[in-house]
Amino acid sequence: MTTPLLQVNELVKKFPVKKGWFRHSGYVHAVNGVSFDLQEGETLGIVGESGCGKSTTGRSLLRLIEPTSGEVIFQNVDITKISKNDMHKFRKDIQMVFQNPMDSMNPKLTIREIISEPLIAHKVPKVERNQLINDTIKLVGLSENHLFLHPEKLSGGQLQRVGIARAIILRPKIVVADEPVSALDVSVQSQILNLLNKLQEELGLSYIFISHDLAVVEHISHRVGVMYLGEMVELATKDKLFEKPYHPYTQALMSSIPKTDPDEEKERIILKGELPSPSNPPTGCKFHPRCVHAMEVCKSVNPTFKDVEGRKVACHLY
Ligand code: SF4
C-alpha cells in the first residue's frame, strides 16, 4: 500500500445546541470519530442518508467548518492544527464542488470573472491567468464564448461545469465533490460524472465524492465508505461492497436499489423506525434500534471499526 495522499483520523464535529439566548443544552454529534484515507488518483465515495454527517465530513476536511477534534494529514501536515493563513495555501491543493453552484456564484459576475476568483485569491500572475482560464473552460466542455456570459444564461449542467472549472483552475490534487449531480436531470448527471472521470485521468485528481445516491456512487467510485449517524460503518472497494455488503445498514441501503435484472433475487430490507436525532443518539451501536440482527451487547457497546476480510466494518457480528 502506498502512502495515502490524505489521511483522516478520528474526525469529530459537534455543533452546540442552544436553548434561549445563553443556555447551552448539549451538542449535535454530526461527525463522530470518522477515519479513512484517500490514495492518489482514487475516487472515494461517501454515502449515507441525509443527516448522516457526510457533507459535514467533507466541509471539515477543508475547514469550511472547523472540526472539533481529529486529524487531517495532507503532505505530512495536520491541516486542522495550522493557522488560517497557512490553510489558505493548502486550499490551492484541496478544492470543493458544491451541489448548487449558483449558491456560491455572484450573479453579477461573468463566468470569466467567476472562474478567475481562485487565481486572484492565490495571486497567480496575470500572464498565466489567461492561459489557465482558456484551457480550463475547454477542459470542462464549455467554449470561450461562455466566458462572457452571466450565470443566468447557463443551464444547470453548464453551471456545474463552471463550478468544476473554478475548483480545478488551480490544478488541485484533491477535489471534494458534495452531491455534485443530485440537482441535475439524469441525462445530465451522467455527462457530469463522465467529465469528472475524464478530468481525473487528465489531471491526476483524487476525489472524495459525497452522495446519497448509491447508483451514482457505484458509477464513479473506486472505494466506498458508508456513514450512519455521524460514523463510518463500512469501508470497502466498490466491487466488494456492492457484491456483498457486510454491515446490516449497508445491506438495507443496497436492498433499496431498484433491480436492473428482472430475474435477480433481491429482498428489500425495510428499516424499522426513523433515523435517530444526532443530538440524542442511541447508546452502544447507533444502528441498534433499527437493526434486525441487534443483540444485547449492541445496546451498550459501540463496535470498533475494524478490518474484516479486506474491508473495514463496525459491527459486533464480525
Ligand atoms: Fe446490528 Fe449489532 Fe451490528 Fe449494530 S453492532 S449493526 S446493532 S448487529
Side-chain angles (χ1 to χ4, degrees):
M1 197 83 169
T2 53
T3 309
L5 185 59
L6 188 81
Q7 178 77 48
V8 179
N9 298 324
E10 292 293 323
L11 190 72
V12 172
K13 178 61 194 177
K14 295 191 274 186
F15 294 102
V17 181
K18 286 189 183 143
K19 252 192 194 164
W21 280 99
F22 300 110
R23 275 178 53 215
H24 184 254
S25 68
Y27 290 95
V28 170
H29 298 259
V31 179
N32 203 9
V34 165
S35 300
F36 58 86
D37 61 28
L38 179 71
Q39 302 290 326
E40 209 168 321
E42 178 186 44
T43 300
L44 175 71
I46 299 185
V47 72
E49 290 166 282
S50 162
C52 71
K54 55 192 188 305
S55 291
T56 306
T57 300
R59 280 159 203 248
S60 299
L61 302 180
L62 283 91
R63 290 178 58 189
L64 300 179
I65 296 172
E66 285 294 336
T68 306
S69 62
E71 294 179 332
V72 178
I73 313 284
F74 176 69
Q75 294 178 338
N76 296 321
V77 175
D78 179 1
I79 58 175
T80 66
K81 309 287 188 305
I82 59 180
S83 69
K84 288 214 161 127
N85 261 349
D86 287 342
M87 189 60 210
H88 178 72
K89 288 179 220 150
F90 280 100
R91 288 232 169 85
K92 191 171 178 291
D93 287 320
I94 312 177
Q95 289 282 320
M96 187 136 189
V97 172
F98 299 93
Q99 178 177 356
N100 293 311
M102 263 309 265
D103 290 351
S104 56
M105 287 179 195
N106 181 343
K108 293 191 181 130
L109 299 183
T110 62
I111 300 306
R112 182 189 180 83
E113 288 167 324
I114 288 168
I115 67 170
S116 302
E117 284 171 339
L119 300 173
I120 295 165
H122 287 270
K123 299 190 171 62
V124 174
K126 257 190 176 166
V127 279
E128 284 175 41
R129 276 188 222 161
N130 280 348
Q131 190 65 50
L132 276 167
I133 292 167
N134 291 340
D135 289 351
T136 306
I137 203 74
K138 286 181 207 142
L139 267 176
V140 299
L142 296 174
S143 75
E144 287 178 21
N145 293 338
H146 289 104
L147 292 170
F148 303 99
L149 301 177
H150 287 86
E152 62 183 16
K153 298 285 181 204
L154 271 59
S155 67
Q158 288 172 329
L159 281 173
Q160 193 51 290
R161 287 174 191 267
V162 174
I164 293 167
R166 189 170 53 178
I168 63 163
I169 199 155
L170 291 165
R171 302 296 182 262
K173 296 191 165 52
I174 298 171
V175 173
V176 179
D178 187 7
E179 300 275 7
V181 297
S182 29
L184 303 172
D185 292 343
V186 177
S187 59
V188 183
Q189 282 188 2
S190 56
Q191 292 168 14
I192 297 294
L193 294 176
N194 292 340
L195 171 66
L196 289 170
N197 278 335
K198 177 183 93 99
L199 294 173
Q200 182 167 55
E201 262 177 41
E202 290 179 15
L203 304 177
L205 295 168
S206 302
Y207 294 130
I208 293 178
F209 190 96
I210 296 163
S211 177
H212 69 282
D213 187 330
L214 277 166
V216 166
V217 165
E218 184 181 17
H219 181 90
I220 196 154
S221 308
H222 298 108
R223 285 187 304 150
V224 180
V226 181
M227 283 188 71
Y228 182 79
L229 215 59
E231 296 180 354
M232 197 163 274
V233 295
E234 187 159 2
L235 176 63
T237 62
K238 172 182 73 179
D239 293 344
K240 280 188 174 171
L241 195 88
F242 280 81
E243 195 184 310
K244 191 170 182 225
Y246 277 22
H247 194 282
Y249 176 62
T250 318
Q251 290 168 359
L253 274 187
M254 296 288 174
S255 78
S256 67
I257 303 177
K259 286 193 246 180
T260 44
D261 174 359
D263 298 330
E264 188 186 353
E265 282 182 28
K266 190 157 91 174
E267 198 181 320
R268 174 105 198 243
I269 302 169
I270 308 288
L271 288 177
K272 297 185 277 178
E274 299 292 318
L275 186 71
S277 164
S279 62
N280 187 22
T283 55
C285 170
K286 295 191 171 45
F287 188 56
H288 87 256
R290 304 174 82 190
C291 180
V292 289
H293 303 289
M295 304 167 277
E296 208 45 43
V297 64
C298 306
K299 295 181 189 166
S300 55
V301 181
N302 198 14
T304 50
F305 194 46
K306 57 178 177 279
D307 291 313
V308 181
E309 296 164 7
R311 69 178 80 196
K312 282 190 167 246
V313 191
C315 176
H316 292 304
L317 292 173
Y318 305 100

